[in-house]
Each structure stands twice: as C-alpha cells, then as structure tokens.
Amino acid sequence: MASEKTRLGIVGVGTVGTGVIQLLEDDPRFEICRIAVKDATRSREVDLSRFEVTTDALSVATDPRIDILVEVAGGINPALEVVRQAISCGKHIVTANKEMIAKHGPELFALAAERQVTILFEAAVGGGIPLISTLQRGLLANRISRVAGIVNGTTNYILTRMEREHLGFGQALTEAQAAGYAEADPTDDVEGRDVAYKIAILSSLAFQSSVEVEEIYRQGITRITDLDIRLSAEFGYRIKMIGLAQPGDDTRLDVRVHPTLIPLGHPLAGVDGVNNAIFIKGSAVGEIMLFGPGAGRLPTASAVVGDIINLASAIRLPDFASYFQPTIAPHAARILPIDETENGYYIRFQTMDVPGVIGSLGTAFGNHGVSLHSVTQKGVAADGSATIILLTHRVRERQVQAALEEIRQQATTREIGVVLRVLI
Ligand code: HSE
C-alpha cells in the first residue's frame, strides 16, 4: 500500500550509520523500528533517545516488524551472522560492508535468491559515487574490458601530500592520521587490503564471476619515496594506488592491487586528495570515469539511503523480484598470477658508483628479453652509492623478476629499492 511506511532496522551507528539516521529520521516514508549499537553509553552526534536501541544486533535481524535491515556496522563479526539471519527471516538487506560482500557475496546472494529477498550494496565501493548501479544496470549493453579505480581515499591523500609537500611516506601518514583521513592502524589501507575488497566486488560485477579476495595480488605504498613521485613526473606519470580488473588472455581474470604509474594524460592521473575515481572501458560506451567522494558520513549515507529508497519502492511492485534482483555470481574465476601479467616497470636501484654499473644492469635485462625505455642516474649519495632509475617497455613480469634476480647477484648492487608497475 502506497501510504504504508517501510520499516527499517539499523545495525551500526558509527560514521555511516549516523549519516543514515540523519537523512532518514524525519522522512515520513520510513519508520526506524530498532537500532543496534556496539556501545549504548557512547555519546553520539545523532539523538537516539526517540528510538528503540539495543546492543543485541541479532534481535534486529529477527524482529518481525522490520522490512529492510540496514547493515552499516562493517567487518565480518557480527555483521555476517546478522545478515544471514535477517535474510533467513525474509528481510531485504542494504549494506555498506565491502569486506562481507567481497568475501561472502556468493553465499549471501544464493541465500537471498532462495528466500526471494534483495541485497543492495551501493555504499560498499566508492562511497557516494553511484558506481555499483552503473555497473549493474547502466552498462549492461557493454562488454567491459577494464575497470581501474582509485578506491581508497586514505592512500590517495597520502600520495597527494607526498607529491605536493615533498614529504616522506611516514610524515604524510602521520599528517593523514592527524587530519582524520587515516586510521590509527592504517594497515588495511596502506597495504591495499581495502582496495582488494573493493576491486573484488567491481570485478565480480563487471565480469559476472566472483574472485577469491585472498588470491588477489597486493602491493602497498609504504616503500614509495617522494623521489619516486618526482622522477615519475619527469618520465610523464603520477603514482596512484590502483585496483585493476580486466580479462586475462584466457578464461582467467587479471585482478590486482598496487601503486601504479599512470600516464599524465589518463583521467585517473588528475584525481587528488581523498577523492575516488573509477575508470571503466566498455565495448559500446568507450571510456568513462566516475569521480567523487569515496568515503565520509553523508556521501556514504547518500548511497545507503539511495538503496533504501529504491528498495522500498521496488518491494511494493507486484512483480519486483524479476527486475530488481541484482546478484554476485557464484562462479569463481581464477586470477592470473602476477608473474604472468604484462606491464611497463619503474625500478629504483641503489648501486656502487663505479664504471660499468649501468652496462651490467642493461645486460641483465637484455638476458631476459626486457627492453629498456629510459635509464637515469640521480647523483651519488653520501655513502658513495648511486641511485639509478629505469623504465622498461611492456613485458611479462616473470622476465623482469628473472632479470632482478640476476641483478641481485651482481657485486655492484646495494639494493633493489622499489619496483612499480606502469599502466599500459
Ligand atoms: N578507508 C577507506 C578509504 C574508507 O580510505 O577509502 C572507505 O571505504
């Protein structure tokens, strides 16, 4: 009935949950029946006194009044069990939980199909950017050949500050923490785990085949220096933390997470600060990029509440299920191992500053069929070592690794500082 309110249960009142309540509390279309919090004594920016509040999240999942369970607690425990139980009780789900969808999506969507309920998760990737619905509906006419995203605001902020202020990674991280853009424990962000969850989800939508998060190759940004950023710019690139998903040469998918040299002319190169952007190449649409705030209270709540409003209208349709049943495919695609991928490479070495060093490096690369694009030496350090940077042409990673193994054995090599991939 059009006049009937849709009844909601909300699990989690952190940053996103607070935004969701702010957007919905006076909306006459909805009734918030029950809210679960971890700590009922904590003071909050939203007044919960007019709501039924519990610390028992499962009681929201099983509450017979509730039509849609809104899960904005994040993490696996207790979110996964809460969502499982809610689905089993016939409730629809709106969630912002990237980790849960990335790791348990196939199981949850199978359960939802069995129970004839819907799971929406627009907020799980890219915060306020309407990205999931774009992949699920707007781009259905396309064969997707690439999804490449800056989907972690923390690392994009750190890299931007390193570039602009010539900061080391540690300094930029400390500054990001002080500004509230990085967690006290930043590991999931700076080591790429957060991006792995997000690119797993995008990949499963773009290629209708889920992947195992743990199989996704990850390289963090902790070894990048401001020198790498400066030299990359001299070569015509900016370094961005990228989640990449594209078809491999066979049935496997090429899905990975690593800092990447992006050509200055590419739309992703211009994305700064905490912003997110997702570049998609489709067979009919060509190249598009969606850009905007990838985190934050109201941008993320915008995506959650958008899902709630869409779902609330859809469940009133007599035959909603056939149209409105987005899914994460159960079939698990294999991922191309990183040494089988092809890229350009930026490599920084520390070597002895003696005659013939650049020649020996060139010989090692030549021995393994790696063609060099540029080689440059940046002065001599106080300890007498030389910093040598080189850029390769497109080549299979296995060949680069074999050359680096040979270089490691050379007497003049002090250190292989960093190996970064170039987007081609
Ligand atoms: N830590 C994440 C980011 C939050 O920096 O983008 C949003 O998922």
Side-chain angles (χ1 to χ4, degrees), residues 396-415:
R396 196 166 288 257
E397 175 136 344
R398 186 183 295 124
Q399 292 165 253
V400 173
Q401 295 299 351
L404 290 176
E405 198 40 53
E406 189 174 323
I407 290 165
R408 232 171 248 124
Q409 311 302 326
Q410 290 176 350
T412 49
T413 303
R414 292 258 172 93
E415 190 195 11

Side-chain angles (χ1 to χ4, degrees), residues 98 123-124 126-127 151-155 181 183 189 194 198 274 276 294-296:
K98 59 206 162 193
V151 287
N152 183 267
T154 304
T155 45
Y181 294 136
E183 308 271 348
D189 291 318
D194 177 77
K198 292 168 177 170
V274 288
N276 281 197

Side-chain angles (χ1 to χ4, degrees), residues 66-380:
I66 290 168
D67 304 305
I68 301 176
L69 180 120
V70 182
E71 187 278 309
V72 280
I76 297 298
N77 193 13
L80 178 61
E81 199 44 43
V82 168
V83 168
R84 276 188 188 133
Q85 293 242 5
I87 295 172
S88 301
C89 293
K91 298 183 196 323
H92 303 281
I93 307 292
V94 171
T95 178
N97 194 325
K98 59 206 162 193
E99 184 177 359
M100 182 179 71
I101 296 295
K103 288 183 176 167
H104 302 281
E107 172 209 326
L108 293 176
F109 282 88
L111 191 58
E114 201 183 299
R115 297 293 318 196
Q116 294 273 294
V117 297
T118 294
I119 306 173
L120 295 185
F121 52 100
E122 182 60 71
V125 187
I129 307 170
L131 168 61
I132 304 291
S133 55
T134 300
L135 278 168
Q136 280 182 327
R137 290 194 283 281
L139 293 176
L140 280 178
N142 292 264
R143 232 176 325 100
I144 307 290
S145 55
R146 171 171 281 177
V147 177
I150 295 173
V151 287
N152 183 267
T154 304
T155 45
N156 205 46
Y157 178 83
I158 290 172
L159 291 171
T160 304
R161 296 300 293 166
M162 286 174 72
E163 178 180 16
R164 288 204 189 137
E165 307 297 328
H166 307 292
L167 302 178
F169 168 77
Q171 284 171 290
L173 170 61
T174 306
E175 196 203 75
Q177 285 168 323
Y181 294 136
E183 308 271 348
D185 177 359
T187 318
D188 275 6
D189 291 318
V190 301
E191 296 295 355
R193 189 168 280 281
D194 177 77
V195 181
Y197 296 143
K198 292 168 177 170
I199 198 65
I201 294 173
L202 297 183
S203 174
S204 69
L205 297 175
F207 305 114
Q208 287 91 45
S209 193
S210 60
V211 292
E212 285 290 336
V213 176
E214 296 308 326
E215 273 186 32
I216 298 175
Y217 171 86
R218 286 186 286 118
Q219 177 189 17
I221 63 164
T222 56
R223 287 175 69 90
I224 295 171
T225 63
D226 52 327
L227 176 71
D228 296 319
I229 293 177
R230 210 163 57 243
L231 289 172
S232 298
E234 282 178 24
F235 287 131
Y237 299 92
R238 290 183 89 191
I239 302 177
K240 295 287 172 193
M241 183 61 158
I242 297 289
L244 179 70
Q246 54 195 10
D249 291 339
D250 47 28
T251 57
R252 294 175 295 178
L253 293 175
D254 179 7
V255 185
R256 45 196 158 108
V257 176
H258 50 70
T260 307
L261 272 70
I262 307 288
L264 287 173
H266 192 284
L268 284 171
V271 177
D272 282 335
V274 288
N275 285 310
N276 281 197
I278 298 90
F279 171 88
I280 303 170
K281 197 167 175 186
S283 54
V285 73
E287 297 180 350
I288 62 169
M289 191 171 88
L290 297 123
F291 169 90
R297 181 197 295 173
L298 285 179
T300 312
S302 157
V304 173
V305 174
D307 276 350
I308 294 171
I309 295 169
N310 270 303
L311 194 46
S313 320
I315 58 184
R316 298 196 184 297
L317 299 172
D319 183 27
F320 98 94
S322 56
Y323 169 69
F324 210 68
Q325 209 56 287
T327 191
I328 295 255
H331 171 69
R334 298 315 304 255
I335 297 180
L336 205 61
I338 193 70
D339 64 354
E340 288 186 42
T341 66
E342 287 190 8
N343 306 278
Y345 292 84
Y346 164 103
I347 306 170
R348 170 167 50 81
F349 300 95
Q350 215 57 37
T351 70
M352 288 166 66
D353 189 33
V354 292
V357 167
I358 290 185
S360 334
L361 292 176
T363 304
F365 282 109
N367 286 345
H368 297 278
V370 181
S371 172
L372 301 183
H373 176 278
S374 334
V375 183
T376 185
Q377 175 170 345
K378 282 288 161 186
V380 182

